[in-house]
Amino acid sequence: MVIKTVEDLQEVLFRVHSSGKSVGLVPTMGALHDGHLSLIKRARRENQATVCSIFVNPTQFNNKEDLEKYPRTLDDDLKMIEDYVDFVFAPTAEEVYKEPATEHYDFGDLEKVMEGPMRPGHFNGVAIIVKRLFDWVKPERAYFGEKDFQQLAIIKSLVKQYHLDIEVIPCPIVREDSGLALSSRNKRLSEYEHKQAANIYRILQESTHLETTDVAKIRQFVADEIAKVDTFRLEYYEIVDGETLQPIQNLNDTDSVVGCITVYCGEVRLIDNIRYK
Ligand code: AMP
């Protein structure tokens, strides 16, 4: 069932909640692929009703061209997920932003690194849409991919700050056989760029097998390898504490360590990450 308005969504969900069913929410921006589907299937396994939202959220784009070029494939999306979801919420921007987006969220140090400074306003836009979806859907559980590692930390912080009774479920990154993390943006890569893009994960994996725990050396290795691939331009590679997202100096500094990368492949901005421990 495809729902277009907030009013219809709340009405339908009111009935679901009243019948005592648990609800799982999977927020997406559409152009769905097997990564999204893995979240949806998990939500379906763990809840009695599943809601998938499909909405290209303008407030989280700090680049107008990126917003305009973002792929929109609603008909294909609906076909892909119809057997797995109970409700698809696919509103217009006018519907979502009937109430203007004036909310201001503060995620402290979590938003001062990596995607934060690179995409000013991005996480505030993410928090605005996710908080509104949470308020409208009132899910028991919400599913987010580890591909957007910093976003996941931001959402966990949102839930904590507002004392929301929602379990945030992190889901593993789904990759192509080549290792390339599935992403809606991959649709914008040329055939050649697509092939080259698989080098991101190869390089990240190689970086986990170096004979050093010195983060500066590992970052240098990744930067050097990325520079060898034509079509690539490295935006950042940070090795951070997996909880606080703050940079570390040595892999032994903390128990949870993740390397987060953003690379332009041609014109397309790709992100990925890998766990060191
Ligand atoms: P998006 O439509 O890109 O906003 O993504 C919607 C959700 O799907 C987010 O929680 C993403 O982290 C997640 N997601 C996107 N790509 C993947 C992937 N390759 N594997 C797992 N989750 C993903």
Side-chain angles (χ1 to χ4, degrees):
M1 179 190 208
V2 182
I3 300 170
K4 293 276 180 193
T5 69
V6 174
E7 199 184 334
D8 288 350
L9 179 70
Q10 287 182 307
E11 195 186 310
V12 160
L13 265 295
F14 178 77
R15 271 184 261 134
V16 174
H17 288 300
S18 302
S19 67
K21 287 183 176 167
S22 59
V23 175
L25 171 67
V26 182
T28 80
M29 298 205 297
L32 300 181
H33 49 65
D34 283 345
H36 297 113
L37 198 57
S38 73
L39 273 56
I40 289 170
K41 286 183 176 170
R42 177 137 182 219
R44 187 178 172 77
R45 279 201 304 277
E46 298 179 353
N47 302 275
Q48 288 154 321
T50 303
V51 181
C52 174
S53 62
I54 298 180
F55 177 60
V56 182
N57 175 36
T59 63
Q60 74 188 70
F61 284 81
N62 56 318
N63 177 327
K64 201 164 164 258
E65 197 185 331
D66 193 24
L67 171 62
E68 278 161 11
K69 291 201 170 153
Y70 201 86
R72 290 161 173 87
T73 58
L74 185 61
D75 290 343
D76 289 345
D77 291 349
L78 295 177
K79 271 184 219 134
M80 182 171 187
I81 61 175
E82 64 186 356
D83 292 341
Y84 304 100
V85 296
D86 299 285
F87 308 106
V88 177
F89 180 49
T92 61
E94 291 72 29
E95 179 67 16
V96 168
Y97 291 111
K98 252 188 212 163
E99 286 296 323
T102 53
E103 302 97 311
H104 287 286
Y105 293 93
D106 184 350
F107 296 105
D109 289 344
L110 281 183
E111 62 181 345
K112 294 201 176 76
V113 294
M114 303 191 286
E115 295 294 281
M118 288 300 165
R119 304 183 70 189
H122 169 66
F123 287 124
N124 200 57
V126 168
I128 290 174
I129 184 63
V130 170
K131 177 69 164 56
R132 289 186 181 199
L133 288 169
F134 282 175
D135 290 346
W136 295 331
V137 174
K138 298 190 173 55
E140 268 71 24
R141 296 176 196 84
Y143 296 79
F144 293 89
E146 284 175 339
K147 175 165 164 290
D148 300 279
F149 193 76
Q150 193 172 5
Q151 170 173 284
L152 188 56
I154 294 276
I155 304 293
K156 283 184 193 161
S157 168
L158 178 76
V159 164
K160 218 167 150 183
Q161 282 183 46
Y162 288 84
H163 309 287
L164 306 177
D165 195 10
I166 298 171
E167 195 182 347
V168 174
I169 315 273
C171 301
I173 302 175
V174 177
R175 299 178 180 282
E176 294 182 355
D177 290 342
S178 70
L180 176 63
L182 297 186
S183 165
S184 306
R185 287 192 169 84
N186 293 353
K187 292 193 169 74
R188 290 179 48 206
L189 297 168
S190 71
E191 204 176 317
Y192 180 67
E193 288 165 348
H194 197 133
K195 221 164 105 192
Q196 294 297 74
N199 284 295
I200 299 173
Y201 188 55
R202 173 187 63 77
I203 294 167
L204 290 185
Q205 271 192 312
E206 284 177 17
S207 81
T208 64
H209 298 130
L210 302 177
E211 301 251 310
T212 178
T213 57
D214 182 339
V215 160
K217 288 195 178 124
I218 303 172
R219 290 180 66 206
Q220 192 59 50
F221 169 84
V222 169
D224 291 346
E225 291 299 309
I226 291 285
K228 287 181 195 161
V229 182
D230 65 335
T231 76
F232 277 3
R233 182 169 64 77
L234 182 64
E235 192 170 79
Y236 64 78
Y237 185 56
E238 297 287 354
I239 296 178
V240 301
D241 179 305
E243 298 297 322
T244 66
L245 303 194
Q246 300 312 297
I248 56 167
Q249 265 76 55
N250 195 290
L251 297 185
N252 296 326
D253 285 352
T254 175
D255 292 339
S256 164
V257 178
V258 178
C260 299
I261 196 164
T262 294
V263 182
Y264 276 91
C265 182
E267 298 287 302
V268 185
R269 189 173 187 273
L270 299 175
I271 69 170
D272 201 348
N273 62 76
I274 197 157
R275 195 165 270 284
Y276 287 86
K277 62 196 246 203

